[in-house]
Structures are given as C-alpha cells and as structure tokens.
Amino acid sequence: MTGQNRSILSALLDMGQALMQNGSEINRVEDTLCRMAHAFGCTNVNVFAISNNIILTVSMPDGETETMTRRILGGNSTNYRALEELNELSRAFCAEPTGPSELVNKIAEIKSAGVNRLKSYIGSALVGGSGALFFGGGVIDAAAATVIGFCMCLIQRHTMKILKNNIVFNFLISFIIGVLTALISFLIPVLSIGHVFTGDLMILIPGLAITVSILDVLLGDTVSGLMRAMESVLSAAVLAVGYALAMQLLGTENSTLDIGGQTVIVSIAASLFMSLGFALIYQLSMRHLIVTSVTGMSGWITFLICSHIGMQDFYAAMLASMTVAVVSEVAARIHKAPAVFFRTPAVMPLAPGKLLFGIMESLNLHKWSVLGTYLISTLEWTLGIAVGLCAVNLFVKVVSGLMDSRRSDYF
C-alpha cells in the first residue's frame, strides 16, 4: 500500500469513527464514506460498519484495491453538535475535495471542541424532573428527580473518564441513583421512590437502544442490530441489579409496580420538556430545540389519542413513532439537517421507561408472576416504535429513489 493510498483510507476511517462515536446511524456512516471515497476518485467502494468496527475496501485512483479496518474504541456518545459539523464537512468535501491531511485536521478540530457542559447539566435535570411528572409523580418527586438528574450528569462527567466500560458504569450509576433516592426518601417520607427513580432512569434507559436495534434489523443491518440488542439487554440487567442492591442495602421496600400516568395536560407538557432535555443532552443546536420539543410532544399526543380510542399499545406506539418520524423528515428538509437530529430526542417520551422499571421492580421484589407480562409488553411496545420508524424510513427512501430516477431520466 502506497503512502498516499494509506492516507486516503485513514482519513476516510477517521471520518467514519468520528461519525460513529458521536451517535450517527450505521447506514449514514456507510453512505457518507462511500460518497467521500468517490470524491477522492476511488471506485468500487465497499463499506461494512457495525457498532465497534469499520471495514473499508476501495479501488484506489492508481488502480490498486486496498482494504483497511478500524476498531472503534472508547465508547460512543451522542453529540449532535459535532455530528452536524461533520455532516457539513462531508458535504463541503464532496463538492470541493481536499487532500487527506486537510480532511484529518478538520475532523480533529471538530472533535476537539467537546461538549457544552451547561447543556448537559440542564438537559439531565430537565429529563429527570419531567420524567418524574410524566410517570405520575408530584411536584416534590419532580424536584427530587431534578436534583438527582443534575448530580447524575456531574458524576457521569467524572467517572466516564475512568470507567470506559458502559456496563460497569450503568451498574455504578444505577446503584448511586438508588442510594440517593432512598436517602432523600428517609428525609421526605412522602417521596415516591418509584417515580423519582423512573424519571432519572430515562437518562440512562436502554429503551431507545432496544428500539434502534430492532430498527437496524428491520432495515437490513442485522449484525449491528443484534449486537446493539445484546448491549441493551445487558445494560438493562445491570441497571436492575444496581437499583435492587441499593434498595436491599438500605432496607427500602418499594411497591410502586403500578406506576401510573399523569393527567393529560401535565403529561403533554412533560413530554415537551423531556424532548427538550434530551435535545440538550445530545448537544443539539439551539436553532433546532423548539422544533424537536414540539415533535416529541406531537408524538405523545398521537399516542394518547390512539390509546383513548382503544388501540393496543403496539399500534398506538407505531402510529406515534410514525408521527415523530414524519414531522422529523419535514423538519429535516426545512432546516437542511439529518432527520435523526429531530427524531431521536423526540421519540424518547415513547420509550418504555415505565415498563423497564416494572421489570426491575419485579426482579427486586420477586414478583415473578408479573415479570413475564412486563417483558412481553416491553417487546410489544418497542417493536411498535421500531415498525413505525422503519415504515417512514422506507417510504422516504422509495420516494427519494423515484425522484432521483426521474431527474436522471430527464437529464
């Protein structure tokens, strides 16, 4: 492999790694690398990406066929500020290609900017407080969840530098949340541990990851989807173990398996602020915050309407996720940004946080008779969300393909 070919492949893999580590979808990583490789003058580009590995094989401009593999280490996070800049960089590069060294320098500059800590703290506090209200808690529960959510972000920023393993981190943070919640409940007897913990659990909940894993499988990324599903199941398991251990050590008995919803108006308002909180956690640009929050609220309103007319959870979740996906696609065209920027924070109120907490409580209290019910309901709910997102995704791809075909036929 010549030095020039090595530089080109390495620069492309730098882009793929940056996209993946900041929360990009697998198909977007593959599509972006294909487009940029063609801009370099490469042909016969083949990209295979999974959650922790990228394999790139191309026919180089000098006629040689080269392959390079990159292992993605250090864990992935969601940073839509960086992702937006990387997306703009890829567009600019495809329009006016530069050398590989210039591309690498620009990628490094984007990565070095890091995250806005204030956004992370405010977002975590918003998600915790709005989540507690969303699942039926009162003002005191929301206030406690807000404080704990802020503390979670503070702990996360310091411990993630040491604990690179997400499984170990989830266990530790779940245990800490459980201890903090139990200690506050000793000081405030009227506090509902279940509502507070479930609100803060939304920050770490693997419900969306489980949904995305099913979506990956439905869209053909089977290996990536199965790996993500396994990681999600392990994350949910260690969250349950951490919470149960905290409850057992502090001798706290909790019987909130029947965590209920909130009044309609309050739940709608909470869904808006929950979407806003996740948008801030994901470092979304300020100009997208209002649209994303309203998109999340529209999805929850759709779910409430479907439930009110007697639809099963699967169909209600499917139609609600379709609403979120359609509004996100429209917003993406208007704002000239990837639809995932709007879709991911907006779909979070639909994530089965209540059901996952039910699974955790069932394990903690040995309620084996209801554990199976919660497991089946969680699968049904997440499958409904994934099917709804997949249906809109495929529809958009078909329409885009037809439009591109008509343009090529015309010209």
Side-chain angles (χ1 to χ4, degrees):
M1 183 184 293
T2 65
Q4 179 67 10
N5 289 352
R6 184 179 293 107
S7 297
I8 291 175
L9 288 176
S10 180
L12 289 171
L13 289 176
D14 281 354
M15 171 60 80
Q17 180 175 356
L19 287 170
M20 196 169 289
Q21 289 184 327
N22 286 288
S24 179
E25 300 162 300
I26 295 296
N27 58 357
R28 178 169 289 275
V29 173
E30 295 177 341
D31 180 68
T32 299
L33 293 189
C34 285
R35 292 175 183 273
M36 295 181 70
H38 285 122
F40 267 124
C42 303
T43 58
N44 298 324
V45 182
N46 291 282
V47 185
F48 177 73
I50 54 178
S51 58
N52 60 3
N53 195 54
I54 305 175
I55 302 174
L56 177 63
T57 301
V58 299
S59 295
M60 305 302 296
D62 61 5
E64 294 294 324
T65 298
E66 310 284 7
T67 298
M68 186 175 286
T69 302
R70 176 74 58 86
R71 178 77 184 274
I72 310 300
L73 299 174
N76 300 336
S77 60
T78 304
N79 184 343
Y80 284 158
R81 188 277 313 165
L83 207 57
E84 186 169 16
E85 292 183 11
L86 289 168
N87 184 61
E88 292 174 355
L89 173 60
S90 67
R91 289 176 181 271
F93 178 84
C94 290
E96 297 182 13
T98 61
S101 59
E102 290 86 348
L103 178 61
V104 170
N105 291 335
K106 290 178 181 178
I107 294 172
E109 182 180 346
I110 293 172
K111 293 171 64 176
S112 65
V115 300
N116 185 318
R117 295 184 181 182
L118 182 60
K119 279 187 176 182
S120 298
Y121 289 129
I122 294 176
S124 297
L126 267 178
V127 170
S130 60
L133 285 175
F134 186 78
F135 293 114
V139 176
I140 296 178
D141 301 325
T146 299
V147 173
I148 295 176
F150 182 89
C151 294
M152 282 177 60
C153 184
L154 184 64
I155 295 169
Q156 184 177 13
R157 296 200 61 81
H158 289 85
T159 57
M160 281 300 285
K161 297 176 181 178
I162 303 172
L163 295 176
K164 300 296 185 180
N165 189 309
N166 287 332
I167 301 299
V168 176
F169 171 77
N170 283 342
F171 168 77
L172 177 64
I173 200 70
S174 177
F175 177 76
I176 293 174
I177 298 171
V179 170
L180 288 176
T181 306
L183 291 176
I184 294 176
S185 71
F186 291 146
L187 300 175
I188 309 175
V190 297
L191 193 73
S192 170
I193 293 178
H195 291 116
V196 174
F197 186 82
T198 308
D200 288 315
L201 178 67
M202 291 297 294
I203 301 173
L204 299 173
I205 193 171
L208 182 61
I210 295 173
T211 301
V212 172
S213 68
I214 298 174
L215 180 61
D216 284 342
V217 173
L218 293 176
L219 293 176
D221 296 318
T222 307
V223 176
S224 178
L226 292 177
M227 290 181 61
R228 197 191 300 268
M230 183 59 68
E231 293 173 0
S232 302
V233 170
L234 289 174
S235 295
V238 298
L239 286 173
V241 172
Y243 170 75
L245 181 60
M247 295 297 104
Q248 293 296 328
L249 288 178
L250 294 175
T252 303
E253 289 294 334
N254 196 13
S255 57
T256 53
L257 283 173
D258 59 341
I259 288 183
Q262 187 56 272
T263 60
V264 172
I265 299 299
V266 174
S267 71
I268 291 174
S271 68
L272 184 144
F273 285 106
M274 190 185 298
S275 300
L276 174 60
F278 276 108
L280 290 171
I281 291 174
Y282 296 157
Q283 304 292 305
L284 195 63
S285 299
M286 299 297 288
R287 63 193 180 96
H288 299 324
L289 292 181
I290 295 178
V291 175
T292 303
S293 303
V294 173
T295 302
M297 184 177 65
S298 67
W300 181 245
I301 290 174
T302 302
F303 182 86
L304 290 176
I305 293 173
C306 294
S307 297
H308 181 72
I309 62 177
M311 280 191 181
Q312 295 179 358
D313 286 346
F314 172 83
Y315 297 106
M318 181 183 70
L319 291 176
S321 64
M322 289 179 70
T323 300
V324 169
V326 169
V327 176
S328 298
E329 292 291 344
V330 173
R333 271 47 179 186
I334 295 174
H335 290 261
K336 300 187 183 303
V340 68
F341 287 3
F342 309 97
R343 184 176 65 234
T344 303
V347 83
M348 286 306 297
L350 298 175
K354 178 176 66 175
L355 296 174
L356 286 174
F357 179 80
I359 293 173
M360 296 166 65
E361 272 289 85
S362 299
L363 293 171
N364 182 35
L365 300 177
H366 307 294
K367 300 283 187 177
W368 311 119
S369 59
V370 298
L371 177 59
T373 302
Y374 279 112
L375 289 171
I376 294 173
S377 297
T378 301
L379 179 60
E380 179 184 19
W381 195 302
T382 54
L383 184 60
I385 296 174
V387 169
L389 296 177
C390 182
V392 175
N393 183 282
L394 292 176
F395 177 79
V396 171
K397 285 186 176 180
V398 169
V399 172
S400 299
L402 290 175
M403 293 178 65
D404 290 342
S405 176
R406 289 184 178 181
R407 291 194 192 99
S408 62
D409 290 342
Y410 179 78
F411 291 105

